[in-house]
Amino acid sequence: MSDSRNAVSADQPGGVPGSGAGASLLAASPETGLAPYAAHASRTRGRRYPELPPAARSEFQRDRDRIVHSTAFRRLEYKTQVFVNHEGDLFRTRLTHSLEVAQIARSVARNLRVNEDLVEAISLAHDLGHTPFGHAGQDALNDCMREHGGFEHNLQSLAVVDELEEHYGAFDGLNLCFETREGILKHCSRENARRLGDLGERFLLGRQPSIEAQIANIADEIAYNNHDVDDGLRSGLISIEQLAEVELWQTHYETARAEFPRIEGRRLVHETVRRIINTLIVDLIEETSRNLAKHAPQSIDEVRGAPPLVAHSTPVAVQAATLKRFLYRNLYRHYRVMRMANKAQRVVTGLFAAFTEDSRLLPPAYQSPDPSAQPRLIAHYIAGMTDRYALKEYRRLFVVDDDA
Ligand code: MG
């Protein structure tokens, strides 16, 4: 089922360096062992702007490479997950989070014989649209944008790869494949879905994305639940004693202690966390395999028409939800995290107000002669900031006698 709709015609002007000529290098395709329900790069629904096929790599590998080389990807290093970037060198940032998501997602994908290149591309791109200061920043920006269509980080990730990156001569954005974009857009309001055409369709029809997108989505949760426990303990905001109420933690903590009675501290935490991650991954593979056997999808389209297939078993899902609730109560709502969130909110809201009041304060690329287009450009500008850049920009605008 080769898709001719998006095949590049011979008269396609230009082409991308390294494209086309070496197509024979793909003879040893990494896709040969894929299951029928996997996303096959050779059958992609294509890119918004047709391009010649890549040489020596698949379409999804090309997507992954474009993501890694993007500016937004490099900025993830200085964006918060839970802790503000400068709080400590050992905490996760959105960059290391995205790498952990990709690692987990690839392990699951390989076991299910689906496309590792695609899950990697989706995982690495899934947080590109995050504002500075994590969820506090996103909530603040959403409040600022309430009268102007709101702000949602999934949609912003899509805006980054579809419009905002300025890398290529022939198009704005990264011009990624449909399947990669589908995976990036995890959630979407019905209103936005209508505006998004083929990409939004599934939200209106109640259909699912590819197996690869479903894997990246759950890999995200596995990654943050575990690294937030790890970072939470490292920061001292939560304790091992508190975690005793969480079955998923306590079971593996006791196993680790039984196996290594002499270890303690960081080493014991890590021995526990790695067991939790492993349990979640193995359970995910087993339960999803059962779902695949039951529904027996024969193509990616049948996956899209089936119920969600990538899932934990019920007992493990319950355990994971308990851990998530624990983190919410004890870490994300910890007073020291709330103080940071409050400060973040003030920075984002203050920046937005200042730029709205006088758009001449914005860099020229973000100024619009059309007043109705201005709020979205301000949101793009703020969303693209790293934590430290946002703080610096705030000081520049609000602190008198600052040397900035
Ligand atoms: Mg994430």
Side-chain angles (χ1 to χ4, degrees):
M1 190 190 76
S2 92
D3 189 339
S4 58
R5 277 173 302 169
N6 295 294
V8 178
S9 62
D11 59 0
Q12 177 68 23
V16 174
S19 292
S24 60
L25 289 173
L26 282 176
S29 166
E31 307 213 322
T32 41
L34 293 185
Y37 46 77
H40 290 70
S42 55
R43 302 177 208 155
T44 172
R45 282 172 68 173
R47 301 172 188 278
R48 296 162 84 210
Y49 305 95
E51 294 185 59
L52 293 167
R57 54 184 174 161
S58 76
E59 296 285 2
F60 299 144
Q61 286 176 307
R62 172 149 77 180
D63 281 6
R64 177 209 49 209
D65 298 346
R66 287 184 177 184
I67 291 157
V68 169
H69 288 277
S70 70
T71 307
F73 186 71
R74 286 194 296 281
R75 286 185 182 142
L76 294 177
E77 182 174 2
Y78 300 104
K79 290 199 182 197
T80 296
Q81 194 66 29
V82 174
F83 300 88
V84 169
N85 174 253
H86 55 73
E87 287 185 339
D89 290 345
L90 299 175
F91 297 128
R92 268 65 170 192
T93 65
R94 290 218 175 260
L95 181 62
T96 58
H97 162 70
S98 300
L99 295 175
E100 290 181 30
V101 174
Q103 178 271 313
I104 291 167
R106 284 187 60 177
S107 295
V108 176
R110 185 176 295 198
N111 276 280
L112 297 173
R113 292 193 300 125
V114 301
N115 204 308
E116 272 186 72
D117 299 326
L118 178 58
V119 290
E120 187 178 22
I122 295 169
S123 301
L124 295 178
H126 84 283
D127 271 352
L128 288 180
H130 254 292
T131 59
F133 314 122
H135 288 282
Q138 125 115 19
D139 291 347
L141 197 50
N142 189 30
D143 283 343
C144 296
M145 287 293 288
R146 199 161 295 284
E147 304 294 309
H148 317 285
F151 179 89
E152 209 277 304
H153 69 86
N154 283 148
L155 214 54
Q156 189 66 13
S157 296
L158 192 68
V160 168
V161 302
D162 279 358
E163 306 164 35
L164 299 178
E165 280 288 321
E166 296 177 327
H167 258 52
Y168 301 95
F171 43 77
D172 285 338
L174 305 178
N175 197 30
L176 303 180
C177 293
F178 176 89
E179 293 77 4
T180 310
R181 298 169 61 235
E182 171 192 56
I184 290 171
L185 193 66
K186 276 194 285 196
H187 312 287
C188 181
S189 67
R190 292 181 71 83
E191 194 186 337
N192 284 323
R194 276 186 217 103
R195 198 171 50 74
L196 286 168
D198 59 353
L199 204 64
E201 218 170 55
R202 75 178 169 91
F203 299 100
L204 301 172
L205 301 176
R207 286 164 63 87
Q208 307 305 318
S210 67
I211 294 271
E212 288 82 355
Q214 296 182 39
I215 290 172
N217 188 13
I218 297 195
D220 185 21
E221 281 191 34
I222 295 177
Y224 68 65
N225 281 331
N226 283 284
H227 62 53
D228 288 352
V229 167
D230 189 43
D231 283 350
L233 288 168
R234 190 189 299 276
S235 66
L237 299 188
I238 57 173
S239 66
I240 285 175
E241 292 69 35
Q242 281 177 298
L243 275 162
E245 69 179 72
V246 179
E247 186 189 356
L248 190 59
W249 166 272
Q250 196 58 21
T251 308
H252 293 292
Y253 181 70
E254 281 165 17
T255 313
R257 269 208 315 196
E259 196 175 333
F260 301 106
R262 274 197 264 274
I263 65 168
E264 53 187 20
R266 298 299 314 158
R267 205 187 283 262
L268 181 54
V269 169
H270 185 251
E271 280 291 348
T272 307
V273 169
R274 68 187 280 250
R275 281 170 171 75
I276 300 174
I277 295 177
N278 195 55
T279 296
L280 293 172
I281 290 178
V282 170
D283 175 77
L284 189 64
I285 293 166
E286 288 175 353
E287 181 67 11
T288 305
S289 299
R290 281 190 285 273
N291 290 340
L292 285 165
K294 185 171 155 206
H295 294 275
Q298 293 306 307
S299 67
I300 187 170
D301 273 331
E302 289 188 17
V303 167
R304 292 187 175 120
L309 296 169
V310 180
H312 285 300
S313 66
T314 305
V316 169
V318 168
Q319 288 190 340
T322 307
L323 172 59
K324 204 171 171 169
R325 270 199 307 278
F326 172 89
L327 287 170
Y328 189 84
R329 272 201 316 270
N330 297 290
L331 181 61
Y332 310 143
R333 288 283 167 262
H334 192 285
Y335 81 94
R336 279 173 53 200
V337 174
M338 293 307 292
R339 283 182 184 189
M340 187 211 80
N342 181 276
K343 192 158 79 175
Q345 191 188 15
R346 229 152 344 104
V347 170
V348 168
T349 308
L351 289 175
F352 193 91
F355 295 138
T356 301
E357 197 179 314
D358 189 349
S359 61
R360 292 171 305 176
L361 301 178
L362 286 158
Y366 293 94
Q367 295 180 20
S368 172
D370 171 9
S372 69
Q374 192 61 72
R376 184 60 58 189
L377 285 180
I378 296 173
H380 286 330
Y381 182 48
I382 294 175
M385 293 178 184
T386 60
D387 296 358
R388 60 184 185 175
Y389 186 86
L391 291 168
K392 200 168 168 184
E393 192 76 332
Y394 188 84
R395 277 198 299 273
R396 281 188 195 124
L397 289 169
F398 293 101
V399 178
V400 181
D401 291 336
D402 190 73
D403 57 5

